[in-house]
Amino acid sequence: MAIGRRGILAGGAALWIGAPAIVRAQSTSKINVSHGMAMHGEPRYPADAGPPDFVNPDAPKGGAVKFGALGTFDSLHPFTLKGVPAAGIGNLWETLCRQSPDEAFTVYGLIAETIEWPDDRSWVAFNLRPQARWHDGTPITPEDVVFSLDILKSKGRPNYAAYYADVLKAEKSGERKVHFTFRDAMNRELPLILGQLPILSSRWWQGKDFEKVSLEPALGSGPYKVDSVDVGRSITYRRAPEWWAKDLWLNRGRSNFETMRYDYYRDNTIVFEAFKGGAIDIRRENSGRNWMIGYKDLPAVADGRIQRAAIAHENPAPMQGFVFNTRRDMFKHRNVRQAIGLMYDFEWQNKNLSYGFYQRTRSYFGNCELEAKGLPSPEELKILEPLRGKIPDEVFTAEFNPPKTDGSGNIREQLRQAIPLLKAAGWEIKNGKMTDKDGRKLAFEILLSDAAFEKMALPVKQNLERIGIDMTLRTVDTSQYQRRTDNYDFDMIIDLWAESLSPGNEQRDFWGSKAADIPGGRNTIGIKDAAIDRLVELIVAAPDRASLITRTRCLDRVLSWHMFVIPQFYSGKALVAYWNRFGRPDKTAKYEPLAFDTWWVDEAKDRALTNRGEKK
């Protein structure tokens, strides 16, 4: 299932290890026709169902909301690698289907009225709704869908070409019907992820350079339009009165704000100050320290003008950590990565910087049934045994857990473990510096996009100095950070991979060999490993839920024991603070707990807050 990066659809590398390249001219499977499609099993909601219980279908429309964003932007064209797209710009375009936030991976027709597919999933077709319209009132056509796939694969962000590499072609097959032909039937989630394809207007783009950075918003079909732009500083969206999909059952109670404004700030500290001062309405909190003490003495919290909520969810915990760029020679040896990882004292950091708020991340699929625990099961061993000798030996003998300290700041034991690891990799301390046989010093730079990350990196830097390793911190602006990370021009960064309960095609982009050379991809680690490629392909081809879980746990073990990342932390809850002028549904979707598109401005609360003269 696709996961976004920088608000853009994440792609996957074009690898088909173990999958025969067979083009099926005609499937003999039974043909299914439905309003929705589940990765495994059946959709929860029937056709034209009533509103889901995680929305308020009677939510009033209107009012304004202000969000804070970090850095800057210079583009309103999010489909090319060039430029930094504005926050919220994805609200301009609809997709063929909409994913359900309370099901593991189920999509329901949006632009598409119905979906057709054979049991073997060797192709898919979408029948478009006759009422589907662009903002100028013209119909969305099969030609637009075909154009969207072709232009995104040929001229869009590189990950689109990789993500839809198994789609051989799209063609109009009826007045309102589009048929997608697949390379083979091995990628069972491909029909669903085609539903996530953003649909662009072929007529609007005719004669325009698709690869050029643009501050002209393309013709859209979604709930919002661009209202005003102050380049690099702010962008405001206004609800599109002509939005054709507002009365569909899956949209009732959503997209309620009349305007949404994103103001840009230099760093998270300034964003927090802006929120406390009332310049921002809603803040998704990502700092455990802020959550524990930052709001503690605020009068607005004490008297209820600012509300806070910690909402439990059932999403996998993302893998966030210090990421080694294994394209660098110094990080190719696992011993080096392991030794540096020993210098991250999570327990001390959590106690002293985050007031004990976080848990240590130990899995790429943590906090859910996909997480590998204990030793491999018999079912897992059937997959892992053929890879013995090509994957870390510890996969078979030990449960992966990051090193643990007593939180005192004394890491003498970790130091004793790290030095022999480095020596086995060809490094030893000479004149106080970790040096190889050619006299090169072990030194590297960690590239950061936010000064707030410096407090996490500095203790690691200080601990590394004790074993003769120099780590330099460099914090750069958003544009430079994106340019450097897109081209993998870094030694180490802090990155994260947010997983779903239905991993699949996007795993190629996260860990696949071919993705390592695609600019702007998600394989920031630079993994090129045939065994990992094999495990990824097994996940993509998983025929049922049980096999998906088993195969994902195998991948989790192998990635973890390679020590590509120094795992950091997670909270298991979505944290949000907001000025008390909003209503939100009584129940939240278990896989999308915040879902700001289901909130609304409560006129009575807004009036009470404004009358106090404290928040306007």
Side-chain angles (χ1 to χ4, degrees):
M1 172 188 153
I3 304 293
R5 182 193 187 198
R6 305 187 189 105
I8 306 300
L9 179 68
L15 288 174
W16 308 288
I17 296 174
I22 300 172
V23 178
R24 298 174 184 264
Q26 181 69 42
S27 170
T28 57
S29 299
K30 184 189 80 173
I31 306 302
N32 304 276
V33 181
S34 178
H35 67 294
M37 184 178 187
M39 182 63 191
H40 301 110
E42 298 295 326
R44 173 182 175 182
Y45 297 102
D48 295 319
D53 56 6
F54 54 83
V55 302
N56 172 12
D58 300 318
K61 307 292 185 183
V65 62
K66 292 177 289 185
F67 297 103
L70 282 176
T72 186
F73 71 94
D74 60 7
S75 175
L76 302 183
H77 179 19
F79 305 109
T80 179
L81 192 60
K82 299 176 182 177
V84 180
I89 194 67
N91 285 296
L92 271 62
W93 300 279
E94 294 291 19
T95 51
L96 287 167
C97 299
R98 180 161 192 160
Q99 186 176 338
S100 171
D102 62 346
E103 298 171 78
F105 191 14
T106 299
V107 298
Y108 295 93
L110 186 53
I111 290 176
E113 187 168 36
T114 58
I115 312 166
E116 298 180 21
W117 72 95
D119 280 346
D120 67 2
R121 301 194 181 187
S122 56
W123 57 265
V124 70
F126 297 92
N127 296 288
L128 309 187
R129 294 183 189 272
Q131 70 267 40
R133 290 288 189 276
W134 298 106
H135 287 152
D136 65 1
T138 58
I140 299 174
T141 66
E143 288 82 1
D144 293 325
V145 178
V146 173
F147 165 80
S148 299
L149 178 72
D150 290 345
I151 197 72
L152 289 171
K153 286 184 67 175
S154 62
K155 296 186 177 181
R157 295 181 65 88
N159 48 16
Y160 284 112
Y163 203 55
Y164 294 116
D166 285 343
V167 183
L168 293 183
K169 63 178 178 177
E171 55 191 338
K172 180 178 179 179
S173 58
E175 183 182 357
R176 294 196 304 272
K177 187 174 182 178
V178 183
H179 187 281
F180 294 88
T181 301
F182 299 162
R183 184 177 304 276
D184 52 51
M186 300 300 293
N187 189 341
R188 294 189 57 79
E189 76 166 0
L190 197 50
L192 287 83
I193 61 177
L194 269 169
Q196 299 172 332
L197 181 72
I199 304 306
L200 310 177
S201 169
S202 57
R203 178 174 51 85
W204 190 90
W205 278 103
Q206 187 174 6
K208 296 182 174 69
D209 184 354
F210 193 84
E211 296 175 285
K212 184 180 179 181
V213 172
S214 177
L215 287 168
E216 179 185 10
L219 181 64
S221 61
Y224 287 90
K225 300 167 74 171
V226 174
D227 188 57
S228 63
V229 178
D230 184 356
V231 179
R233 296 174 179 270
S234 69
I235 184 167
T236 301
Y237 302 94
R238 185 171 295 277
R239 204 159 54 88
E242 65 275 18
W243 183 36
W244 63 273
K246 61 181 179 295
D247 294 324
L248 295 181
W249 70 271
L250 68 169
N251 284 333
R252 293 174 201 153
R254 284 172 156 159
S255 303
N256 302 312
F257 301 122
E258 181 63 24
T259 63
M260 298 190 301
R261 177 185 174 101
Y262 292 83
D263 287 312
Y264 279 76
Y265 299 87
R266 188 171 65 250
D267 60 46
N268 253 320
T269 301
I270 301 176
V271 175
F272 188 42
E273 292 302 315
F275 171 75
K276 290 191 293 184
I280 295 170
D281 292 314
I282 301 174
R283 171 176 170 81
R284 181 168 187 169
E285 186 58 74
N286 294 311
S287 166
R289 178 184 177 87
N290 269 356
W291 192 254
M292 298 297 285
I293 67 167
Y295 299 86
K296 188 175 180 181
D297 297 322
L298 293 181
V301 172
D303 64 21
R305 285 173 293 143
I306 288 179
Q307 297 287 303
R308 297 196 303 159
I311 306 171
H313 60 77
E314 298 182 28
N315 285 318
M319 168 56 80
Q320 176 178 302
F322 298 100
V323 176
F324 297 100
N325 185 355
T326 61
R327 301 170 185 85
R328 302 290 200 251
D329 287 340
M330 60 185 158
F331 293 147
K332 290 187 183 299
H333 202 299
R334 189 183 71 154
N335 280 17
V336 174
R337 303 194 296 267
Q338 183 178 0
I340 293 174
L342 286 163
M343 298 300 101
Y344 175 53
D345 189 347
F346 165 76
E347 285 71 26
W348 179 90
Q349 176 187 289
N350 195 38
K351 181 173 69 173
N352 290 279
L353 301 183
S354 302
Y355 292 81
F357 180 77
Y358 291 113
Q359 301 176 58
R360 182 80 192 265
T361 301
R362 60 165 303 275
S363 166
Y364 286 78
F365 302 89
N367 197 43
C368 73
E369 63 183 349
L370 301 171
E371 179 179 359
K373 295 180 180 179
L375 295 179
S377 67
E379 292 77 16
E380 290 176 62
L381 287 173
K382 291 177 183 177
I383 296 170
L384 294 169
E385 280 293 352
L387 302 176
R388 190 182 284 272
K390 301 175 183 177
I391 59 178
D393 293 339
E394 294 91 339
V395 167
F396 300 94
T397 61
E399 178 184 66
F400 176 81
N401 282 294
K404 189 173 184 178
T405 71
D406 61 8
S408 68
N410 184 343
I411 60 165
R412 228 172 267 151
E413 178 58 33
Q414 283 69 35
L415 295 171
R416 281 197 292 265
Q417 294 176 41
I419 291 174
L421 286 167
L422 290 163
K423 187 172 183 179
W427 299 89
E428 58 181 322
I429 297 178
K430 295 179 181 178
N431 300 319
K433 298 296 182 182
M434 194 62 67
T435 309
D436 70 5
K437 61 182 177 60
D438 297 319
R440 290 174 297 194
K441 306 295 190 293
L442 184 48
F444 64 92
E445 175 186 274
I446 180 168
L447 184 70
L448 303 172
S449 61
D450 186 346
F453 291 143
E454 293 176 3
K455 69 177 183 291
M456 288 193 290
L458 279 170
V460 180
K461 171 183 169 65
Q462 292 162 2
N463 287 337
L464 285 170
E465 288 171 353
R466 299 174 65 180
I467 56 173
I469 299 175
D470 291 329
M471 182 175 85
T472 304
L473 279 60
R474 181 181 294 274
T475 303
V476 298
D477 62 38
T478 306
S479 297
Q480 185 178 354
Y481 185 83
Q482 178 167 327
R483 183 169 62 253
R484 288 188 59 178
T485 53
D486 280 346
N487 292 291
Y488 310 118
D489 179 21
F490 61 87
D491 298 330
M492 176 183 280
I493 57 173
I494 294 175
D495 202 355
L496 67 80
W497 291 266
E499 296 283 4
S500 75
L501 282 173
S502 183
N505 204 52
E506 77 288 343
Q507 302 301 306
R508 292 170 170 169
D509 192 44
F510 291 175
W511 330 115
S513 294
K514 288 190 178 179
D517 296 323
I518 298 175
R522 290 294 289 114
N523 187 351
T524 49
I525 297 168
I527 299 171
K528 289 187 176 183
D529 186 285
I532 291 174
D533 291 338
R534 173 61 180 164
L535 292 172
V536 165
E537 292 308 313
L538 288 173
I539 289 172
V540 172
D544 51 50
R545 184 71 188 172
S547 63
L548 178 68
I549 293 170
T550 297
R551 296 173 184 191
T552 303
R553 289 174 179 172
C554 290
L555 177 64
D556 190 21
R557 295 181 190 279
V558 173
L559 290 172
S560 297
W561 278 112
H562 269 295
M563 301 184 183
F564 294 127
V565 171
I566 304 171
Q568 292 178 340
F569 45 78
Y570 73 98
S571 71
K573 294 182 179 180
L575 310 177
V576 63
Y578 57 96
W579 285 88
N580 192 19
R581 54 188 295 266
F582 300 101
R584 57 189 182 98
D586 294 331
K587 182 178 179 181
T588 58
K590 57 185 178 180
Y591 303 127
E592 194 179 341
L594 296 182
F596 296 132
D597 71 332
T598 66
W599 293 32
W600 64 91
V601 173
D602 184 305
E603 289 189 8
K605 292 180 179 178
D606 188 42
R607 188 163 49 249
L609 196 62
T610 301
N611 287 343
R612 295 187 62 165
E614 302 284 353
K615 170 69 175 67
K616 298 182 180 180

